[in-house]
Amino acid sequence: MSEKELGQKWDHCLADSAIKFGTGLGLGIVFSVVFFKRRTWPIVFGTGLGLGMAYSNCQNDLRSHYVLHSKVAKEQ
Amino acid sequence: MAAKILPVFKFATKVTIAGGALYVAYDSGLLGDSKEGSVTLGRAKAAIPPAVEEWMKYFGFELHATPKIEFSPLDAWNSGVQKSIHALSVTPSTVSDYTKQGLQYVKDLTK
């Protein structure tokens, strides 16, 4: 993986983390207000979910260069 | 009869609001791949100025122009990293220079 590609992947990772953090926070706030009587734990849970999704995406993205990719051939 | 239906109605409203928020997040690609997320961010950035203008027209007052801040966090961070590492790399030679100067000064004093 070239340095340029690696840099771009890290850029995407950071941007994605920010987006998912915000989304998780927002959805956590919505759920906390609507269902859980404004408790804190849904907010924390949503934020954690968002960060986890971002981590998983980053991991897959950075690994994809070294993983074998295959396609299933269509049956004829 | 209305008293019995009201809790159900409230619950249904709550489910609609929460489900709608979740669906909007899913549909706009916020929960997907990293590339989809950056596409959505780009679209949102492009959509903000016209939206702000429309709201201004609707309310009928002028928002003073936001001052253009010529600050790029990326450039600042990169230059900070470069300066720190450069400082670390010249530390040994700088320290030895200062030590030599200090010893020379002390020698001169004792002459």
Side-chain angles (χ1 to χ4, degrees), chain B residues 1-89:
Chain B
M1 190 188 133
K4 280 187 187 162
I5 283 192
L6 193 63
V8 176
F9 189 65
K10 270 175 67 178
F11 185 70
T13 316
K14 286 183 182 180
V15 166
T16 313
I17 294 176
L22 200 57
Y23 178 72
V24 164
Y26 169 72
D27 193 48
S28 56
L30 289 172
L31 298 174
D33 204 21
S34 49
K35 291 185 184 67
E36 282 180 48
S38 46
V39 161
T40 310
L41 199 65
R43 267 193 280 147
K45 266 196 201 170
I48 283 184
V52 166
E53 276 193 40
E54 269 201 54
W55 278 100
M56 274 166 47
K57 269 194 266 172
Y58 183 70
F59 283 114
F61 64 82
E62 284 282 317
L63 212 64
H64 62 90
T66 44
K68 276 260 171 204
I69 306 174
E70 291 286 333
F71 178 72
S72 161
L74 189 67
D75 288 339
W77 176 265
N78 284 347
S79 90
V81 169
Q82 283 170 341
K83 289 212 176 107
S84 320
I85 302 298
H86 177 71
L88 275 178
S89 72

Side-chain angles (χ1 to χ4, degrees), chain A residues 31-53:
Chain A
F31 271 78
S32 161
V33 163
V34 165
F35 283 124
F36 296 109
K37 298 180 189 148
R38 304 201 183 161
R39 299 235 182 91
T40 320
W41 69 262
I43 304 177
V44 176
F45 187 67
T47 313
L49 278 177
L51 286 173
M53 284 194 283

